[in-house]
Amino acid sequence: MKGFVGVINLDHELDQLNELTYFRCGAAVPFGGRYRLIDFALSNMMYAGMEDIALFVRRKYRSLMDHLGEGRPWDLDRKRGGLFILPPDWHDPTDTSLGDLQHIHNNMDYFHRSSGDIVVNSGTQHVNKVDFNEVYKYHKEKGADVTVVYKKVAELEPEHGPCRRVEVDENGYVSGIHHERDHNNIYLEIFIMDKALYLDQVRYSIAHGKSYFFRDVIQHNPNGLKIAAYEYTGYNAVINSVESYYKNSLALLNPDNYMKLFHEKPVQTKIKYEAPTKYLESAKVTNSLLANGCIIGGEVENSILFRGVKVEKGARVVNSVILQKCTIEAGAVLENVILDKDVHISGDRTLIGDVKKPYVTAKSTSV
Amino acid sequence: MSKKEVVAMLLAGGQGKRLKGLTRFLAKPAVYFGGTYRIIDFPLSNCANSRIDTVGVLTQYEPMVLHAYIGVGNDWDMDRKNGGVFVLPPHEREEGSSWYQGTADAIYRNLNFVERFDPEHVLILSGDHIYKMDYGKMLDYHKEKDADCTISVVNVTLEEASRFGMLNTDDDLKIYEFDEKPEHPKSTLASMGIYLFKWDVLKSYLIQDETNPTSSYDFGKDIIPLLLDDAKTLYAYPFEGYWRDVGTIQSLWESNMDMLSEHPELDLNDPNWRIFTRSPNQPAQYIAPEAKVSDSIINEGCIVHGEINHSVLFFGVEVGEGSVITDSVIMPNVKIGKNVRIHRAIIDDGMILPDGKQIGVDREDESEILLITNESL
């Protein structure tokens, strides 16, 4: 399988994770002990053999660029193609477009130069292992112009609220896309279509004063495109709020979720050279995920520790998500909290958040 | 290629017979250490941290894993346009082919490689020691003494001394005698097998030694004594800090255990002197509700349901419920079933230990460390 042109569209993703997105965009939010949200979409694209991937970035993407580098972990450091970070900052006086259509318009060269002829679009708020080759196979079988990917969820959770829903007819085609909250087919922000058709639709939409590709071309479908719906049945977590971030982080402690997300086709991420994690004699760790470079002297329960976290002897961490390089001194107690990177917790502190609404500290603070 | 002040030559061709089954299909420098590393990561990372960016790695025994591991050297920042890491296997030439006859012969046969960089000095390293060392400081010392050769040394006990090349020096550390593995050592200064030579001096002695049919073509046995006979300037450079030869099962195990103390002599978490390695890129380790882990090092990708005490787990190790591991080193991707007991053992990589397996328990002599490989199980 070849010929995919990847687009990771962050143009309209909102940075709604409060303290965690003060200084970074949602795609750069750390997740799962050692990853950032964008790693999942990128790894899925890598495993589909994608050689050209563009990132439409708009806001707070410095840490994202630092994380991605030249794309080596995802095999994107290429002579031909590779990873392109495409900012929107281009003022073309003849340009009449708006929204992400403007972004696409400003970066037409990327599409013209890329070797593939199938566009795969993805966001980063859905953490999953969608196999784009399977989606493409289905797309061909259905003879569709566009194929969108959705997941039928058993229980509607608060984080599904802002998601679009996909109405599917008995033949597997889309009969409607909307925001009706009681509908269970969640759109995963993934669609694929022919590059030529994609570019035609971009031109048409701009000429007709439109702004957003998905809304104006696929959802409203003014040109009667044949849209197929691919049902994804694997693991999917929606990360679009602090609550959903916290809930889905701790859900990784369920071995079933851990295996589904991590066991096959390991997710790729920026390489760090941390030593393996060290447990001192006094360590007491249960039901937790720990990345490398941690030194554990205290108690850790139901928690996720990112790289380089120190939990001193006599400190206690429960139901918490502790990001890179935090230090928790002896005597401190943390329960239901999220600590962003480089946070230092002094020995006499007790921070307790709510099970549903964790207490969040901003990056590089001392408490 | 532009001129380099120093080129490092890393001797990585040894078999490491005393590591038994671990080196059956693996050169000794490729043996795993410390939960995630291979032995060769230490000299390579030392070079990277010392800003030595041109390194020749001389391979011979079972080179495949080593070659693949080093790759283009990007993990050690050695994927450079000018310089970088070069793997140098023995090769056939016009006059015929043969294996490297000794450490000095290996360098002799790569004279052309070194010449490309026209260096002032050549640093000879071996790929079987665990230590962190700033070679830049040794170079400063070497230049300050205007030495033809500087040999890095550590203090050992008199009992250990007969295992090493021993140096006798004046008070100012000028070497006047070198005994390779002496029966009756006269000092406690042992050579670490790290030599810094003026390249023009070394080159002429390598050429000279090569014409001697009775030579064993070895730095310790031949080249150093030759230099001393000719009254060349040789200095000992005292190294302080952790240094271990991990050439035996016992010493490999001990050195792994050394990393477990709360403040180990060799700090692997020092952000200013990282030990670089090819990342296994596996997910964060999962410690289950019923697991108990203490006094141990555990790497990425491990899934622990059992009890781990005073042990090292490399990446991708799975430990089933009710299993107890004590005083052991578990190499990468070992799958351990339920109710397994492992005590004072090294388990070779990729092994699968079925439920209920007992290793190293109820034995009379606890002093020996068991090595468990597919052949020995």
Side-chain angles (χ1 to χ4, degrees):
Chain A
M1 184 75 58
K2 61 185 273 302
F4 287 135
V5 181
V7 174
I8 297 180
N9 191 347
L10 310 181
D11 219 37
H12 48 256
E13 284 189 359
L14 302 172
D15 305 332
Q16 287 174 323
L17 268 61
N18 300 353
E19 285 86 347
L20 297 181
T21 46
Y22 280 175
F23 307 107
R24 55 172 89 86
C25 59
V29 167
F31 186 74
R34 58 193 294 275
Y35 306 100
R36 291 183 186 251
L37 287 176
I38 195 162
D39 291 343
F40 297 90
L42 274 177
S43 297
N44 288 344
M45 288 186 166
M46 180 188 96
Y47 286 117
M50 248 177 250
E51 296 173 4
D52 289 285
I53 299 178
L55 236 65
F56 286 174
V57 296
R58 192 175 283 275
R59 289 171 297 267
K60 294 189 274 191
Y61 52 86
R62 186 192 56 79
S63 66
L64 190 65
M65 287 176 69
D66 171 56
H67 177 71
L68 298 170
E70 56 175 350
R72 190 178 181 102
W74 306 273
D75 224 1
L76 293 169
D77 53 332
R78 307 216 175 201
K79 292 258 180 282
R80 195 169 295 147
L83 181 70
F84 299 88
I85 297 171
L86 305 177
D89 201 15
W90 175 335
H91 298 288
D92 174 356
T94 66
D95 177 25
T96 56
S97 57
L98 288 166
D100 69 356
L101 280 170
Q102 181 182 43
H103 211 146
I104 298 168
H105 172 89
N106 287 345
N107 292 290
M108 273 299 180
D109 276 1
Y110 166 71
F111 294 96
H112 291 313
R113 286 182 189 157
S114 56
S115 59
D117 40 28
I118 313 291
V119 171
V120 176
N121 176 94
S122 174
T124 64
Q125 294 188 329
H126 292 260
V127 172
N128 55 44
K129 300 212 99 172
V130 170
D131 181 338
F132 297 122
N133 286 325
E134 287 298 313
V135 180
Y136 181 64
K137 218 165 88 188
Y138 183 85
H139 177 73
K140 289 308 262 186
E141 268 167 33
K142 289 284 162 191
D145 295 319
V146 184
T147 296
V148 301
V149 179
Y150 73 95
K151 182 176 169 71
K152 193 193 249 332
V153 296
E155 292 281 326
L156 282 169
E157 302 283 341
E159 65 265 27
H160 295 130
C163 297
R164 286 192 179 88
R165 319 300 156 112
V166 181
E167 204 83 54
V168 187
D169 71 15
E170 65 273 17
N171 299 315
Y173 295 100
V174 171
S175 52
I177 298 174
H178 52 69
H179 268 111
E180 284 182 32
R181 290 188 162 238
D182 56 352
H183 198 90
N184 292 47
N185 292 347
I186 302 298
Y187 170 56
L188 301 191
E189 306 283 335
I190 296 168
F191 68 81
I192 73 174
M193 66 193 294
D194 265 20
K195 184 167 83 178
L197 179 62
Y198 177 83
L199 297 180
D200 272 353
Q201 293 294 320
V202 168
R203 278 187 288 268
Y204 175 89
S205 302
I206 290 172
H208 288 79
K210 307 293 189 195
S211 310
Y212 292 100
F213 188 87
F214 188 83
R215 186 192 68 190
D216 297 327
V217 174
I218 297 174
Q219 184 172 3
H220 296 161
N221 196 9
N223 298 324
L225 299 176
K226 194 170 167 188
I227 305 173
Y230 174 90
E231 186 184 357
Y232 168 72
T233 54
Y235 173 92
N236 189 71
V238 188
I239 314 291
N240 54 9
S241 62
V242 168
E243 291 75 19
S244 59
Y245 175 81
Y246 178 65
K247 184 180 77 179
N248 284 305
S249 291
L250 294 188
L252 294 173
L253 298 175
N254 175 338
D256 193 36
N257 290 334
Y258 178 88
M259 296 304 267
K260 276 184 186 158
L261 189 59
F262 298 129
H263 204 62
E264 274 176 30
K265 296 184 179 169
V267 181
Q268 303 294 315
T269 188
K270 180 181 176 179
I271 295 166
K272 304 262 175 88
Y273 295 90
E274 297 279 4
T277 278
K278 184 164 199 172
Y279 296 78
L280 305 182
E281 203 137 15
S282 51
K284 214 172 146 199
V285 179
T286 58
N287 200 41
S288 294
L289 277 183
L290 296 92
N292 273 353
C294 297
I295 298 178
I296 311 296
E299 280 180 54
V300 179
E301 193 183 322
N302 286 328
S303 294
I304 296 189
L305 271 53
F306 282 68
R307 299 193 255 210
V309 170
K310 290 186 180 63
V311 180
E312 291 184 1
K313 183 179 177 180
R316 190 171 141 76
V317 178
V318 186
N319 298 332
S320 295
V321 180
I322 313 295
L323 268 55
Q324 301 94 294
K325 298 195 188 304
C326 289
T327 300
I328 298 140
E329 283 186 5
V333 177
L334 304 181
E335 214 175 312
N336 309 325
V337 304
I338 299 173
L339 301 187
D340 202 335
K341 273 175 85 170
D342 292 317
V343 169
H344 190 105
I345 304 289
S346 305
D348 51 348
R349 302 294 166 167
T350 297
L351 300 182
I352 299 185
D354 184 79
V355 187
K356 294 264 178 210
K357 205 146 181 74
Y359 180 86
V360 188
T361 66
K363 191 176 158 183
S364 304
T365 46
S366 280
V367 181
Chain B
M1 290 289 168
S2 68
K3 185 175 172 67
K4 297 274 176 188
E5 187 180 20
V6 188
V7 168
M9 297 295 271
L10 174 48
L11 299 161
Q15 178 181 358
K17 277 200 189 94
R18 292 173 302 158
L19 286 172
K20 299 175 194 164
L22 285 181
T23 51
R24 233 188 115 192
F25 307 108
L26 208 60
K28 182 163 145 189
V31 168
Y32 288 110
F33 175 83
T36 197
Y37 310 99
R38 292 181 188 262
I39 297 171
I40 197 169
D41 288 333
F42 289 83
L44 280 179
S45 301
N46 287 340
C47 284
N49 288 321
S50 305
R51 305 283 189 269
I52 294 175
D53 64 6
T54 309
V55 182
V57 179
L58 295 101
T59 61
Q60 177 156 294
Y61 176 79
E62 285 288 343
M64 189 273 278
V65 171
L66 209 48
H67 288 202
Y69 182 70
I70 293 168
V72 296
N74 58 299
D75 283 305
W76 303 272
D77 238 357
M78 289 188 188
D79 50 337
R80 302 269 70 94
K81 288 234 189 290
N82 181 23
V85 65
F86 297 80
V87 177
L88 306 168
H91 51 278
E92 190 170 352
R93 287 183 301 181
E94 203 181 18
E95 59 270 27
S97 58
S98 66
W99 299 111
Y100 291 145
Q101 303 300 308
T103 49
D105 178 53
I107 306 296
Y108 170 78
R109 292 215 252 152
N110 289 287
L111 283 181
N112 286 344
F113 166 76
V114 181
E115 288 285 276
R116 286 171 71 172
F117 300 99
D118 186 22
E120 295 293 313
H121 309 280
V122 167
L123 176 66
I124 310 291
L125 301 169
S126 57
D128 41 14
H129 301 134
I130 302 297
Y131 64 111
K132 297 201 294 195
M133 178 172 171
D134 188 341
Y135 303 134
K137 285 186 183 157
M138 182 176 175
L139 177 65
D140 290 344
Y141 177 92
H142 174 72
K143 290 197 288 193
E144 196 183 299
K145 298 283 186 192
D146 193 24
D148 295 308
C149 171
T150 301
I151 302 175
S152 184
V153 295
V154 282
N155 254 316
V156 294
T157 60
L158 269 174
E159 297 84 73
E160 289 177 293
S162 49
R163 283 170 44 207
F164 297 97
M166 300 304 295
L167 300 162
N168 299 308
T169 67
D170 300 335
D171 289 346
D172 72 343
L173 295 172
K174 189 164 192 276
I175 302 167
Y176 62 88
E177 201 174 10
F178 185 94
D179 297 329
E180 183 69 17
K181 299 179 184 163
E183 253 179 77
H184 305 289
K186 294 174 216 154
S187 81
T188 56
L189 283 184
S191 163
M192 294 162 66
I194 298 170
Y195 312 106
L196 194 47
F197 288 97
K198 278 185 184 155
W199 172 235
D200 54 353
V201 174
L202 175 62
K203 188 177 154 191
S204 67
Y205 278 82
L206 288 175
I207 293 169
Q208 187 190 331
D209 181 54
E210 199 64 20
T211 60
N212 175 5
T214 63
S215 176
S216 50
Y217 313 108
D218 185 83
F219 278 102
K221 292 193 196 102
D222 307 288
I223 300 289
I224 303 298
L226 219 54
L227 259 71
L228 284 169
D229 285 349
D230 288 356
K232 292 282 172 193
T233 315
L234 281 81
Y235 271 90
Y237 173 73
F239 172 74
E240 275 164 28
Y242 187 89
W243 179 80
R244 289 290 180 281
D245 179 335
V246 287
T248 62
I249 294 297
Q250 187 77 27
S251 64
L252 181 68
W253 178 85
E254 277 169 11
S255 199
N256 271 287
M257 294 297 125
D258 286 345
M259 301 302 121
L260 295 177
S261 71
E262 192 166 342
H263 300 288
E265 221 188 313
L266 185 81
D267 181 7
L268 296 172
N269 287 293
D270 179 2
N272 299 317
W273 203 273
R274 289 232 179 275
I275 304 303
F276 304 105
T277 184
R278 180 159 287 198
S279 167
N281 205 4
Q282 295 198 7
Q285 57 194 267
Y286 174 63
I287 309 296
E290 68 278 13
K292 268 192 193 150
V293 182
S294 68
D295 202 11
S296 293
I297 283 176
I298 300 187
N299 197 3
E300 296 176 345
C302 289
I303 299 178
V304 179
H305 290 272
E307 200 176 311
I308 318 289
N309 186 253
H310 199 250
S311 295
V312 174
L313 268 58
F314 281 74
F315 51 87
V317 171
E318 291 175 21
V319 181
E321 277 173 48
S323 290
V324 180
I325 299 172
T326 47
D327 302 338
S328 294
V329 176
I330 316 295
M331 296 294 193
N333 303 315
V334 171
K335 307 290 177 238
I336 296 167
K338 293 177 184 173
N339 303 312
V340 173
R341 180 83 178 86
I342 302 172
H343 181 58
R344 286 178 78 86
I346 295 177
I347 312 293
D348 200 6
D349 72 285
M351 293 194 63
I352 295 169
L353 302 181
D355 292 354
K357 184 84 198 162
Q358 304 287 299
I359 289 169
V361 285
D362 298 333
R363 51 184 159 142
E364 282 176 11
D365 179 15
E366 280 225 344
S367 63
E368 191 204 357
I369 301 305
L370 296 173
L371 171 66
I372 308 300
T373 62
N374 271 321
E375 289 75 36
S376 70
L377 193 68

Tab-separated table of all heavy atoms in Angstrom, chain A residues 260-283:
chain	number	residue	atom	x	y	z
A	260	LYS	N	-4.294	-3.069	24.634
A	260	LYS	CA	-4.873	-2.655	23.343
A	260	LYS	C	-4.113	-1.477	22.738
A	260	LYS	O	-3.921	-1.398	21.542
A	260	LYS	CB	-6.335	-2.251	23.538
A	260	LYS	CG	-7.294	-3.426	23.505
A	260	LYS	CD	-8.702	-2.893	23.609
A	260	LYS	CE	-9.701	-4.034	23.722
A	260	LYS	NZ	-10.959	-3.564	24.327
A	261	LEU	N	-3.707	-0.552	23.586
A	261	LEU	CA	-3.077	0.654	23.056
A	261	LEU	C	-1.589	0.457	22.793
A	261	LEU	O	-1.039	1.006	21.845
A	261	LEU	CB	-3.298	1.830	24.023
A	261	LEU	CG	-2.876	3.196	23.488
A	261	LEU	CD1	-3.621	3.544	22.202
A	261	LEU	CD2	-3.127	4.281	24.532
A	262	PHE	N	-0.932	-0.335	23.624
A	262	PHE	CA	0.531	-0.360	23.560
A	262	PHE	C	1.158	-1.651	23.072
A	262	PHE	O	2.325	-1.662	22.703
A	262	PHE	CB	1.120	-0.063	24.947
A	262	PHE	CG	0.771	1.291	25.474
A	262	PHE	CD1	0.239	1.450	26.736
A	262	PHE	CD2	0.984	2.420	24.691
A	262	PHE	CE1	-0.070	2.703	27.228
A	262	PHE	CE2	0.674	3.679	25.178
A	262	PHE	CZ	0.147	3.813	26.450
A	263	HIS	N	0.419	-2.754	23.130
A	263	HIS	CA	1.113	-4.020	22.955
A	263	HIS	C	1.603	-4.248	21.537
A	263	HIS	O	2.762	-4.566	21.315
A	263	HIS	CB	0.259	-5.182	23.428
A	263	HIS	CG	1.098	-6.375	23.801
A	263	HIS	ND1	2.005	-6.314	24.816
A	263	HIS	CD2	1.171	-7.619	23.282
A	263	HIS	CE1	2.622	-7.484	24.922
A	263	HIS	NE2	2.141	-8.299	23.999
A	264	GLU	N	0.730	-4.097	20.560
A	264	GLU	CA	1.165	-4.306	19.186
A	264	GLU	C	1.473	-2.975	18.524
A	264	GLU	O	0.868	-1.963	18.859
A	264	GLU	CB	0.103	-5.064	18.402
A	264	GLU	CG	0.292	-6.566	18.612
A	264	GLU	CD	-0.772	-7.376	17.947
A	264	GLU	OE1	-1.292	-6.924	16.902
A	264	GLU	OE2	-1.085	-8.445	18.473
A	265	LYS	N	2.393	-2.982	17.579
A	265	LYS	CA	2.792	-1.752	16.900
A	265	LYS	C	3.051	-0.638	17.914
A	265	LYS	O	2.246	0.290	18.060
A	265	LYS	CB	1.710	-1.319	15.897
A	265	LYS	CG	1.535	-2.323	14.780
A	265	LYS	CD	0.545	-1.812	13.763
A	265	LYS	CE	0.384	-2.813	12.628
A	265	LYS	NZ	-0.741	-2.495	11.746
A	266	PRO	N	4.147	-0.721	18.637
A	266	PRO	CA	4.404	0.254	19.694
A	266	PRO	C	4.343	1.693	19.189
A	266	PRO	O	4.798	1.998	18.092
A	266	PRO	CB	5.810	-0.094	20.183
A	266	PRO	CG	6.359	-1.059	19.207
A	266	PRO	CD	5.214	-1.687	18.489
A	267	VAL	N	3.741	2.528	19.993
A	267	VAL	CA	3.610	3.944	19.645
A	267	VAL	C	5.001	4.568	19.698
A	267	VAL	O	5.775	4.310	20.615
A	267	VAL	CB	2.665	4.633	20.647
A	267	VAL	CG1	2.482	6.103	20.292
A	267	VAL	CG2	1.329	3.914	20.687
A	268	GLN	N	5.317	5.354	18.694
A	268	GLN	CA	6.644	5.965	18.623
A	268	GLN	C	6.617	7.363	19.220
A	268	GLN	O	5.609	8.062	19.137
A	268	GLN	CB	7.111	6.040	17.168
A	268	GLN	CG	7.150	4.696	16.467
A	268	GLN	CD	8.188	3.764	17.065
A	268	GLN	OE1	9.315	4.145	17.328
A	268	GLN	NE2	7.775	2.521	17.312
A	269	THR	N	7.735	7.752	19.789
A	269	THR	CA	7.814	9.086	20.379
A	269	THR	C	9.248	9.555	20.377
A	269	THR	O	10.163	8.794	20.055
A	269	THR	CB	7.222	9.067	21.808
A	269	THR	OG1	7.146	10.412	22.285
A	269	THR	CG2	8.081	8.250	22.770
A	270	LYS	N	9.450	10.818	20.743
A	270	LYS	CA	10.805	11.359	20.784
A	270	LYS	C	11.671	10.557	21.761
A	270	LYS	O	11.244	10.258	22.870
A	270	LYS	CB	10.739	12.819	21.252
A	270	LYS	CG	12.095	13.489	21.332
A	270	LYS	CD	11.955	14.928	21.824
A	270	LYS	CE	13.321	15.556	21.985
A	270	LYS	NZ	13.237	16.949	22.436
A	271	ILE	N	12.871	10.255	21.326
A	271	ILE	CA	13.752	9.445	22.168
A	271	ILE	C	14.431	10.311	23.214
A	271	ILE	O	14.964	11.366	22.919
A	271	ILE	CB	14.809	8.732	21.299
A	271	ILE	CG1	14.115	7.731	20.378
A	271	ILE	CG2	15.834	8.003	22.167
A	271	ILE	CD1	14.986	7.212	19.266
A	272	LYS	N	14.360	9.827	24.444
A	272	LYS	CA	15.103	10.467	25.533
A	272	LYS	C	16.051	9.401	26.055
A	272	LYS	O	15.812	8.221	25.881
A	272	LYS	CB	14.144	10.883	26.658
A	272	LYS	CG	13.016	11.794	26.219
A	272	LYS	CD	13.334	13.245	26.521
A	272	LYS	CE	12.293	14.167	25.978
A	272	LYS	NZ	11.193	14.399	26.882
A	273	TYR	N	17.101	9.836	26.676
A	273	TYR	CA	18.059	8.852	27.143
A	273	TYR	C	18.037	8.767	28.665
A	273	TYR	O	19.011	9.057	29.335
A	273	TYR	CB	19.440	9.180	26.589
A	273	TYR	CG	19.477	9.047	25.080
A	273	TYR	CD1	19.181	10.109	24.256
A	273	TYR	CD2	19.752	7.819	24.485
A	273	TYR	CE1	19.187	9.985	22.872
A	273	TYR	CE2	19.760	7.674	23.104
A	273	TYR	CZ	19.479	8.760	22.310
A	273	TYR	OH	19.470	8.621	20.945
A	274	GLU	N	16.885	8.397	29.183
A	274	GLU	CA	16.741	8.239	30.626
A	274	GLU	C	17.180	6.843	31.034
A	274	GLU	O	16.979	5.880	30.306
A	274	GLU	CB	15.268	8.398	31.024
A	274	GLU	CG	14.671	9.758	30.731
A	274	GLU	CD	15.002	10.800	31.782
A	274	GLU	OE1	15.758	10.489	32.718
A	274	GLU	OE2	14.507	11.930	31.645
A	275	ALA	N	17.759	6.745	32.224
A	275	ALA	CA	18.058	5.429	32.788
A	275	ALA	C	16.735	4.747	33.144
A	275	ALA	O	15.719	5.409	33.288
A	275	ALA	CB	18.920	5.606	34.031
A	276	PRO	N	16.754	3.430	33.289
A	276	PRO	CA	15.529	2.766	33.742
A	276	PRO	C	15.118	3.261	35.131
A	276	PRO	O	15.922	3.827	35.857
A	276	PRO	CB	15.925	1.290	33.803
A	276	PRO	CG	17.113	1.163	32.934
A	276	PRO	CD	17.824	2.468	33.008
A	277	THR	N	13.865	3.041	35.464
A	277	THR	CA	13.360	3.534	36.751
A	277	THR	C	13.897	2.734	37.923
A	277	THR	O	14.068	1.527	37.857
A	277	THR	CB	11.819	3.552	36.706
A	277	THR	OG1	11.453	4.753	36.051
A	277	THR	CG2	11.187	3.514	38.079
A	278	LYS	N	14.171	3.473	38.987
A	278	LYS	CA	14.786	2.855	40.154
A	278	LYS	C	13.834	2.855	41.341
A	278	LYS	O	13.255	3.892	41.668
A	278	LYS	CB	16.020	3.662	40.486
A	278	LYS	CG	16.795	3.087	41.608
A	278	LYS	CD	18.120	3.726	41.555
A	278	LYS	CE	19.126	2.967	42.304
A	278	LYS	NZ	20.422	3.560	42.052
A	279	TYR	N	13.678	1.707	41.935
A	279	TYR	CA	12.846	1.568	43.130
A	279	TYR	C	13.769	1.389	44.314
A	279	TYR	O	14.566	0.452	44.335
A	279	TYR	CB	11.952	0.337	43.017
A	279	TYR	CG	10.942	0.422	41.896
A	279	TYR	CD1	11.324	0.185	40.570
A	279	TYR	CD2	9.613	0.738	42.148
A	279	TYR	CE1	10.414	0.275	39.540
A	279	TYR	CE2	8.688	0.832	41.109
A	279	TYR	CZ	9.092	0.599	39.819
A	279	TYR	OH	8.194	0.695	38.791
A	280	LEU	N	13.678	2.281	45.290
A	280	LEU	CA	14.498	2.129	46.491
A	280	LEU	C	13.847	1.086	47.398
A	280	LEU	O	12.738	0.625	47.160
A	280	LEU	CB	14.637	3.478	47.206
A	280	LEU	CG	15.177	4.619	46.331
A	280	LEU	CD1	15.328	5.890	47.155
A	280	LEU	CD2	16.506	4.257	45.685
A	281	GLU	N	14.584	0.761	48.436
A	281	GLU	CA	14.105	-0.269	49.363
A	281	GLU	C	12.741	0.094	49.960
A	281	GLU	O	11.896	-0.760	50.187
A	281	GLU	CB	15.144	-0.451	50.471
A	281	GLU	CG	15.067	-1.787	51.136
A	281	GLU	CD	16.442	-2.386	51.363
A	281	GLU	OE1	17.443	-1.648	51.271
A	281	GLU	OE2	16.500	-3.591	51.642
A	282	SER	N	12.542	1.412	50.168
A	282	SER	CA	11.307	1.870	50.817
A	282	SER	C	10.135	2.025	49.844
A	282	SER	O	9.041	2.378	50.260
A	282	SER	CB	11.585	3.222	51.476
A	282	SER	OG	12.183	4.099	50.523
A	283	ALA	N	10.350	1.767	48.563
A	283	ALA	CA	9.297	2.017	47.565
A	283	ALA	C	8.102	1.107	47.775
A	283	ALA	O	8.237	-0.054	48.144
A	283	ALA	CB	9.865	1.801	46.161
